[in-house]
Amino acid sequence: MADLGSKLPDMSVASAEVAKSAAEVKSVDAIARRNRRLAGLPREVDPRQTWLQRKLAGPQLWIVIGALTVYVLGLWHFYRLESSLTMQQIAEATQKAGNPTTLTISQFNEALWSVIFHFDVGAYGVKLAPGALWTLLFWIVVFCLLDRLRPTPPSAKVVALGWGICGAPLIALYVNTWVSTLVSYTVRIDPSSDPRPAVFIAPFVEEASKALIVFALAIALRHRLVTPFQVIGLAGLSAAGFAFTENITYYLPQYLSATKIIGTDPAQVMDQAMWLRGVCTCFGHPLFTAMTAVGIVMGIRVHSRLVRILCPLAGYLVAATLHMVFNGFSSLGASASVLVIGGLVLIVMGLFWLWRQLAKERATIAWRLDDYVRMGWLQSSDPLIFNRIGYRAKLGLAGLLRGRRVCKATITLIAAITELAYLRAAMVDGLVDEPGLVRERELLIDIRALRGIALDDPANLSVKPPTWHPVTRLRAAWTRLQNRRHFAPPSGVPAYPPARPVQPGYRPVQQYPGPPRSAYPAGVYTGGGAVGRPNRY
């Protein structure tokens, strides 16, 4: 007992040392997680957690839910403001025309539905006209396909688009009204009667409101936005959402005025307005905001703080200037062909610049992947395969036709190799230091694990598998659906035989014949037990 008592202090000291070492490990892990977050690298994935658990534990899902909640409330507020303002404008316009009319909220909602979707019901059936929604869908497809080389997270796209639809127009509405009142301008029904707010105030306010979400996402994802296509895609989604809301605010008064004023054709007025704003000059807002995005791209990957400030500011000023010139020509009554030709020239120049940037990004991916080929960690063909969009699309489509497991592994492999190339580029440029080594090891382990499942060689690869046929796949899916929904018909034979009735009393024990007694030696039990067991009775 004395020995045990003498050992008790040693055990307490050992437990204290273990607790101290555990606290030190936790502090080291917390510092590593903080350094990783500051470097803009994704969090370490816990393999014990499911996809839903990882999403619930991270802040990304909750940020998106909070942003969408704010957007819905802001959209409802904007709807109330726009409905009251439009009703007031229509009442004043119809009173001047000699036909005073007061709109109801149901009439406003019907007109709102019409200008958003704009189905033209004619003699030949329903014709889809260029409504506000179809222009928005076109730009969503364009900007979502623009950043296929290194896609941005879908949550960032949703936040940028939602901000453009309800956040930026609401800010522009209040700020434009406040600045116009500050400089003693009078807001009239017809904007062409006083073009100065539209030329000198609206461009700066609207471009700042649209680019606000791009600046916020660039700060939050500063090391994940590694290509100009990502920033331009986010800026374009914000601008497309803003143009969608602005088009509705332009279409509604014209449509309702033409409906309530005698002598005008509402369908003709709507077709002219939608063709001009929704088709011919729909490039305006995305093109202007893209200039701000170019400035952000030039300043986001440099070391100088002065350049990081001046480049986005210069891009914003170029965007506001182009917007001001566009509004100036529109207010002066210039022909739409002049705006379209000028816009096409800028679009061609922008496409040429994007083509040059694509060549530069492909070279960066090839050079940085070649570093891992030289170290023996990647295959020699990876730099020539994963820097080409055509090869990547072929691998993705071939994986899609080979089942969910192969498709998921192929897409994950392409994303991991692309992230590895840009991570290496950031480490070479000195933008990411020690946390990049840990992420580099994780990506290399994932790439090696995916090699046996994913498709990684487009040479001699048939996109359609030999055993795949759409009719066969549909028949197999239909057969599985029928077997799942229906049961086999009854055959008339019971699945189990009926149970015998139980007789009252004890059931006699069935006797089994055994070997002759002479087969066992004397003194050995010859009952139903084990052979050779001695008789104890």
Side-chain angles (χ1 to χ4, degrees):
M1 295 297 293
D3 295 339
L4 181 60
S6 62
K7 291 181 180 180
L8 286 177
D10 297 336
M11 294 176 60
S12 61
V13 171
S15 62
E17 292 179 354
V18 170
K20 182 179 179 181
S21 61
E24 291 177 355
V25 169
K26 289 183 179 180
S27 62
V28 170
D29 292 341
I31 293 173
R33 287 194 298 267
R34 179 178 180 275
N35 293 335
R36 190 163 179 159
R37 184 176 65 254
L38 293 177
L41 300 177
R43 297 185 305 157
E44 186 177 359
V45 177
D46 189 356
R48 297 172 298 179
Q49 293 181 343
T50 62
W51 178 85
L52 182 59
Q53 290 176 345
R54 291 195 300 268
K55 292 298 181 182
L56 293 176
Q60 185 177 3
L61 177 63
W62 304 109
I63 290 175
V64 174
I65 293 176
L68 292 180
T69 304
V70 174
Y71 292 165
V72 170
L73 296 177
L75 195 61
W76 171 253
H77 182 62
F78 189 81
Y79 164 78
R80 296 294 300 270
L81 289 177
E82 187 63 26
S83 60
S84 60
L85 182 61
T86 303
M87 290 178 182
Q88 181 181 358
Q89 291 178 353
I90 295 303
E92 295 178 0
T94 53
Q95 186 176 3
K96 290 182 179 179
N99 185 23
T101 305
T102 302
L103 288 178
T104 61
I105 193 65
S106 60
Q107 292 175 336
F108 176 83
N109 293 334
E110 182 180 358
L112 179 63
W113 182 271
S114 180
V115 299
I116 290 177
F117 296 97
H118 194 51
F119 288 101
D120 188 8
V121 182
Y124 299 98
V126 179
K127 182 180 68 173
L128 191 62
L133 180 63
W134 316 123
T135 306
L136 175 64
L137 294 179
F138 169 76
W139 286 118
I140 289 176
V141 173
V142 169
F143 290 113
C144 286
L145 293 177
L146 184 64
D147 61 347
R148 289 300 89 196
L149 194 64
R150 181 77 170 98
T152 53
S155 57
K157 292 185 173 66
V158 171
V159 170
L161 180 62
W163 174 263
I165 291 176
C166 60
L170 195 60
I171 291 178
L173 176 64
Y174 277 107
V175 176
N176 281 333
T177 305
W178 174 70
V179 175
S180 299
T181 306
L182 188 63
V183 295
S184 303
Y185 287 147
T186 303
V187 179
R188 298 179 175 88
I189 298 176
D190 188 6
S192 60
S193 59
D194 191 2
R196 288 174 294 178
V199 176
F200 299 105
I201 298 176
F204 295 93
V205 175
E206 292 178 1
E207 293 304 322
S209 62
K210 289 184 294 181
L212 185 61
I213 191 62
V214 186
F215 281 103
L217 291 174
I219 294 173
L221 307 173
R222 56 190 177 279
H223 292 301
R224 298 187 189 183
L225 300 180
V226 294
T227 67
F229 305 99
Q230 295 175 308
V231 186
I232 292 176
L234 295 176
L237 289 174
S238 176
F242 184 90
F244 168 73
T245 306
E246 188 183 51
N247 287 341
I248 292 175
T249 59
Y250 273 89
Y251 295 158
L252 272 173
Q254 297 183 20
Y255 177 74
L256 291 172
S257 298
T259 304
K260 300 302 178 181
I261 296 177
I262 302 176
T264 57
D265 186 7
Q268 183 179 2
V269 171
M270 284 300 300
D271 289 340
Q272 292 178 356
M274 290 184 177
W275 178 257
L276 179 62
R277 292 189 60 89
V279 178
C280 295
T281 60
C282 65
F283 59 86
H285 283 289
L287 179 63
F288 305 149
T289 313
M291 299 300 169
T292 307
V294 171
I296 296 175
V297 168
M298 292 181 177
I300 201 173
R301 305 294 290 179
V302 295
H303 295 277
S304 176
R305 294 184 179 180
L306 182 61
V307 176
R308 289 183 180 183
I309 296 175
L310 293 181
C311 284
L313 182 60
Y316 164 72
L317 293 177
V318 171
T321 303
L322 291 177
H323 197 166
M324 185 169 57
V325 172
F326 183 87
N327 288 357
F329 275 100
S330 300
S331 302
L332 294 177
S335 176
S337 58
V338 177
L339 301 176
V340 172
I341 292 174
L344 289 177
V345 171
L346 293 177
I347 290 174
V348 170
M349 295 172 60
L351 292 177
F352 179 75
W353 182 81
L354 289 177
W355 178 73
R356 294 294 301 273
Q357 293 298 316
L358 178 61
K360 184 184 298 184
E361 298 301 324
R362 286 182 52 194
T364 301
I365 293 176
W367 291 342
R368 298 287 72 88
L369 291 181
D370 187 67
D371 296 342
Y372 296 100
V373 173
R374 294 175 183 272
M375 289 181 283
W377 293 341
L378 292 181
Q379 298 178 2
S380 59
S381 59
D382 289 343
L384 302 177
I385 293 174
F386 292 98
N387 73 329
R388 298 187 180 183
I389 298 180
Y391 285 165
R392 294 155 63 106
K394 182 179 180 180
L395 292 175
L397 183 58
L400 178 63
L401 298 181
R402 282 164 174 79
R404 184 182 65 87
R405 181 168 177 263
V406 179
C407 178
K408 181 180 179 181
T410 303
I411 294 176
T412 306
L413 178 65
I414 294 173
I417 291 181
T418 307
E419 183 182 352
L420 182 64
Y422 280 107
L423 177 62
R424 178 65 179 174
M427 294 171 64
V428 170
D429 294 338
L431 300 176
V432 179
D433 48 6
E434 185 178 356
L437 298 176
V438 181
R439 181 58 181 168
E440 182 183 54
R441 181 175 178 272
E442 295 173 357
L443 291 173
L444 289 172
I445 293 175
D446 294 341
I447 291 170
R448 180 173 296 181
L450 293 169
R451 285 291 187 184
I453 306 173
L455 303 176
D456 58 354
D457 189 6
N460 300 324
L461 175 65
S462 176
V463 176
K464 185 178 75 66
T467 59
W468 189 90
H469 193 273
V471 178
T472 307
R473 295 294 293 263
L474 290 176
R475 287 178 179 175
W478 179 251
T479 303
R480 290 194 300 269
L481 181 62
Q482 285 184 328
N483 294 338
R484 183 181 301 177
R485 296 178 59 184
H486 301 286
F487 298 94
S491 59
V493 180
Y496 301 95
R500 295 180 181 181
V502 179
Q503 298 296 334
Y506 294 99
R507 184 176 181 179
V509 179
Q510 187 176 359
Q511 300 293 334
Y512 295 95
R517 290 180 177 271
S518 59
Y520 299 97
V524 177
Y525 174 68
T526 58
V531 178
R533 183 177 180 181
N535 191 356
R536 300 181 183 219
Y537 302 97

PDB file of all heavy atoms in Angstrom, residues 48-62:
ATOM      1  N   ARG A  48     -15.604  10.871 -41.764  1.00  0.00           N
ATOM      2  CA  ARG A  48     -16.666  10.278 -40.959  1.00  0.00           C
ATOM      3  C   ARG A  48     -17.986  11.001 -41.135  1.00  0.00           C
ATOM      4  O   ARG A  48     -19.035  10.469 -40.749  1.00  0.00           O
ATOM      5  CB  ARG A  48     -16.257  10.287 -39.482  1.00  0.00           C
ATOM      6  CG  ARG A  48     -15.016   9.443 -39.171  1.00  0.00           C
ATOM      7  CD  ARG A  48     -14.564   9.665 -37.746  1.00  0.00           C
ATOM      8  NE  ARG A  48     -14.170  11.056 -37.526  1.00  0.00           N
ATOM      9  CZ  ARG A  48     -13.754  11.525 -36.364  1.00  0.00           C
ATOM     10  NH1 ARG A  48     -13.674  10.715 -35.317  1.00  0.00           N
ATOM     11  NH2 ARG A  48     -13.398  12.799 -36.243  1.00  0.00           N
ATOM     12  N   GLN A  49     -17.983  12.194 -41.672  1.00  0.00           N
ATOM     13  CA  GLN A  49     -19.204  12.973 -41.848  1.00  0.00           C
ATOM     14  C   GLN A  49     -19.793  12.760 -43.230  1.00  0.00           C
ATOM     15  O   GLN A  49     -19.063  12.565 -44.212  1.00  0.00           O
ATOM     16  CB  GLN A  49     -18.926  14.464 -41.641  1.00  0.00           C
ATOM     17  CG  GLN A  49     -18.543  14.847 -40.229  1.00  0.00           C
ATOM     18  CD  GLN A  49     -18.305  16.337 -40.096  1.00  0.00           C
ATOM     19  OE1 GLN A  49     -18.124  17.054 -41.076  1.00  0.00           O
ATOM     20  NE2 GLN A  49     -18.312  16.827 -38.864  1.00  0.00           N
ATOM     21  N   THR A  50     -21.111  12.796 -43.312  1.00  0.00           N
ATOM     22  CA  THR A  50     -21.798  12.727 -44.588  1.00  0.00           C
ATOM     23  C   THR A  50     -21.798  14.092 -45.263  1.00  0.00           C
ATOM     24  O   THR A  50     -21.363  15.093 -44.687  1.00  0.00           O
ATOM     25  CB  THR A  50     -23.238  12.228 -44.393  1.00  0.00           C
ATOM     26  OG1 THR A  50     -23.946  13.171 -43.561  1.00  0.00           O
ATOM     27  CG2 THR A  50     -23.255  10.860 -43.721  1.00  0.00           C
ATOM     28  N   TRP A  51     -22.289  14.102 -46.492  1.00  0.00           N
ATOM     29  CA  TRP A  51     -22.340  15.364 -47.236  1.00  0.00           C
ATOM     30  C   TRP A  51     -23.234  16.375 -46.524  1.00  0.00           C
ATOM     31  O   TRP A  51     -22.880  17.554 -46.420  1.00  0.00           O
ATOM     32  CB  TRP A  51     -22.854  15.095 -48.641  1.00  0.00           C
ATOM     33  CG  TRP A  51     -22.992  16.324 -49.473  1.00  0.00           C
ATOM     34  CD1 TRP A  51     -22.029  16.933 -50.211  1.00  0.00           C
ATOM     35  CD2 TRP A  51     -24.189  17.131 -49.635  1.00  0.00           C
ATOM     36  NE1 TRP A  51     -22.528  18.050 -50.827  1.00  0.00           N
ATOM     37  CE2 TRP A  51     -23.837  18.205 -50.499  1.00  0.00           C
ATOM     38  CE3 TRP A  51     -25.475  17.044 -49.160  1.00  0.00           C
ATOM     39  CZ2 TRP A  51     -24.765  19.158 -50.879  1.00  0.00           C
ATOM     40  CZ3 TRP A  51     -26.403  18.014 -49.531  1.00  0.00           C
ATOM     41  CH2 TRP A  51     -26.039  19.049 -50.383  1.00  0.00           C
ATOM     42  N   LEU A  52     -24.364  15.937 -46.010  1.00  0.00           N
ATOM     43  CA  LEU A  52     -25.271  16.856 -45.322  1.00  0.00           C
ATOM     44  C   LEU A  52     -24.658  17.375 -44.033  1.00  0.00           C
ATOM     45  O   LEU A  52     -24.804  18.558 -43.691  1.00  0.00           O
ATOM     46  CB  LEU A  52     -26.602  16.145 -45.043  1.00  0.00           C
ATOM     47  CG  LEU A  52     -27.692  16.982 -44.360  1.00  0.00           C
ATOM     48  CD1 LEU A  52     -28.032  18.203 -45.210  1.00  0.00           C
ATOM     49  CD2 LEU A  52     -28.934  16.141 -44.104  1.00  0.00           C
ATOM     50  N   GLN A  53     -23.955  16.519 -43.304  1.00  0.00           N
ATOM     51  CA  GLN A  53     -23.313  16.966 -42.067  1.00  0.00           C
ATOM     52  C   GLN A  53     -22.220  17.992 -42.335  1.00  0.00           C
ATOM     53  O   GLN A  53     -22.064  18.952 -41.581  1.00  0.00           O
ATOM     54  CB  GLN A  53     -22.741  15.761 -41.328  1.00  0.00           C
ATOM     55  CG  GLN A  53     -23.793  14.838 -40.725  1.00  0.00           C
ATOM     56  CD  GLN A  53     -23.180  13.605 -40.098  1.00  0.00           C
ATOM     57  OE1 GLN A  53     -22.013  13.285 -40.335  1.00  0.00           O
ATOM     58  NE2 GLN A  53     -23.969  12.883 -39.306  1.00  0.00           N
ATOM     59  N   ARG A  54     -21.461  17.799 -43.405  1.00  0.00           N
ATOM     60  CA  ARG A  54     -20.427  18.783 -43.743  1.00  0.00           C
ATOM     61  C   ARG A  54     -21.037  20.116 -44.133  1.00  0.00           C
ATOM     62  O   ARG A  54     -20.511  21.181 -43.787  1.00  0.00           O
ATOM     63  CB  ARG A  54     -19.555  18.242 -44.875  1.00  0.00           C
ATOM     64  CG  ARG A  54     -18.683  17.075 -44.483  1.00  0.00           C
ATOM     65  CD  ARG A  54     -17.596  16.832 -45.503  1.00  0.00           C
ATOM     66  NE  ARG A  54     -18.125  16.538 -46.817  1.00  0.00           N
ATOM     67  CZ  ARG A  54     -18.369  15.304 -47.264  1.00  0.00           C
ATOM     68  NH1 ARG A  54     -18.119  14.262 -46.478  1.00  0.00           N
ATOM     69  NH2 ARG A  54     -18.838  15.101 -48.478  1.00  0.00           N
ATOM     70  N   LYS A  55     -22.147  20.078 -44.870  1.00  0.00           N
ATOM     71  CA  LYS A  55     -22.793  21.329 -45.257  1.00  0.00           C
ATOM     72  C   LYS A  55     -23.386  22.052 -44.054  1.00  0.00           C
ATOM     73  O   LYS A  55     -23.319  23.288 -43.955  1.00  0.00           O
ATOM     74  CB  LYS A  55     -23.886  21.059 -46.300  1.00  0.00           C
ATOM     75  CG  LYS A  55     -23.360  20.598 -47.647  1.00  0.00           C
ATOM     76  CD  LYS A  55     -22.484  21.653 -48.273  1.00  0.00           C
ATOM     77  CE  LYS A  55     -21.959  21.220 -49.627  1.00  0.00           C
ATOM     78  NZ  LYS A  55     -21.052  22.220 -50.238  1.00  0.00           N
ATOM     79  N   LEU A  56     -23.979  21.300 -43.133  1.00  0.00           N
ATOM     80  CA  LEU A  56     -24.572  21.930 -41.956  1.00  0.00           C
ATOM     81  C   LEU A  56     -23.510  22.479 -41.008  1.00  0.00           C
ATOM     82  O   LEU A  56     -23.746  23.461 -40.305  1.00  0.00           O
ATOM     83  CB  LEU A  56     -25.462  20.927 -41.222  1.00  0.00           C
ATOM     84  CG  LEU A  56     -26.730  20.469 -41.951  1.00  0.00           C
ATOM     85  CD1 LEU A  56     -27.456  19.419 -41.141  1.00  0.00           C
ATOM     86  CD2 LEU A  56     -27.653  21.644 -42.244  1.00  0.00           C
ATOM     87  N   ALA A  57     -22.342  21.836 -40.986  1.00  0.00           N
ATOM     88  CA  ALA A  57     -21.282  22.304 -40.098  1.00  0.00           C
ATOM     89  C   ALA A  57     -20.553  23.525 -40.642  1.00  0.00           C
ATOM     90  O   ALA A  57     -19.980  24.299 -39.870  1.00  0.00           O
ATOM     91  CB  ALA A  57     -20.281  21.173 -39.843  1.00  0.00           C
ATOM     92  N   GLY A  58     -20.533  23.707 -41.953  1.00  0.00           N
ATOM     93  CA  GLY A  58     -19.825  24.833 -42.552  1.00  0.00           C
ATOM     94  C   GLY A  58     -20.675  26.084 -42.610  1.00  0.00           C
ATOM     95  O   GLY A  58     -21.908  26.040 -42.506  1.00  0.00           O
ATOM     96  N   PRO A  59     -20.047  27.239 -42.802  1.00  0.00           N
ATOM     97  CA  PRO A  59     -20.800  28.499 -42.839  1.00  0.00           C
ATOM     98  C   PRO A  59     -21.428  28.799 -44.197  1.00  0.00           C
ATOM     99  O   PRO A  59     -22.256  29.703 -44.300  1.00  0.00           O
ATOM    100  CB  PRO A  59     -19.735  29.543 -42.499  1.00  0.00           C
ATOM    101  CG  PRO A  59     -18.468  28.953 -43.034  1.00  0.00           C
ATOM    102  CD  PRO A  59     -18.588  27.463 -42.877  1.00  0.00           C
ATOM    103  N   GLN A  60     -21.037  28.067 -45.239  1.00  0.00           N
ATOM    104  CA  GLN A  60     -21.462  28.417 -46.583  1.00  0.00           C
ATOM    105  C   GLN A  60     -22.975  28.295 -46.745  1.00  0.00           C
ATOM    106  O   GLN A  60     -23.635  29.189 -47.293  1.00  0.00           O
ATOM    107  CB  GLN A  60     -20.750  27.511 -47.584  1.00  0.00           C
ATOM    108  CG  GLN A  60     -21.007  27.846 -49.037  1.00  0.00           C
ATOM    109  CD  GLN A  60     -20.211  26.950 -49.967  1.00  0.00           C
ATOM    110  OE1 GLN A  60     -19.510  26.040 -49.522  1.00  0.00           O
ATOM    111  NE2 GLN A  60     -20.311  27.199 -51.245  1.00  0.00           N
ATOM    112  N   LEU A  61     -23.554  27.196 -46.271  1.00  0.00           N
ATOM    113  CA  LEU A  61     -24.996  26.985 -46.408  1.00  0.00           C
ATOM    114  C   LEU A  61     -25.780  28.048 -45.667  1.00  0.00           C
ATOM    115  O   LEU A  61     -26.779  28.582 -46.187  1.00  0.00           O
ATOM    116  CB  LEU A  61     -25.352  25.589 -45.901  1.00  0.00           C
ATOM    117  CG  LEU A  61     -26.842  25.230 -45.903  1.00  0.00           C
ATOM    118  CD1 LEU A  61     -27.390  25.239 -47.313  1.00  0.00           C
ATOM    119  CD2 LEU A  61     -27.069  23.870 -45.243  1.00  0.00           C
ATOM    120  N   TRP A  62     -25.343  28.393 -44.474  1.00  0.00           N
ATOM    121  CA  TRP A  62     -26.085  29.371 -43.676  1.00  0.00           C
ATOM    122  C   TRP A  62     -25.948  30.775 -44.250  1.00  0.00           C
ATOM    123  O   TRP A  62     -26.893  31.583 -44.147  1.00  0.00           O
ATOM    124  CB  TRP A  62     -25.591  29.328 -42.242  1.00  0.00           C
ATOM    125  CG  TRP A  62     -25.696  27.955 -41.655  1.00  0.00           C
ATOM    126  CD1 TRP A  62     -24.683  27.091 -41.361  1.00  0.00           C
ATOM    127  CD2 TRP A  62     -26.914  27.263 -41.316  1.00  0.00           C
ATOM    128  NE1 TRP A  62     -25.177  25.914 -40.853  1.00  0.00           N
ATOM    129  CE2 TRP A  62     -26.548  25.997 -40.805  1.00  0.00           C
ATOM    130  CE3 TRP A  62     -28.262  27.603 -41.385  1.00  0.00           C
ATOM    131  CZ2 TRP A  62     -27.488  25.065 -40.386  1.00  0.00           C
ATOM    132  CZ3 TRP A  62     -29.207  26.673 -40.962  1.00  0.00           C
ATOM    133  CH2 TRP A  62     -28.814  25.432 -40.466  1.00  0.00           C
TER     134      TRP A  62
END
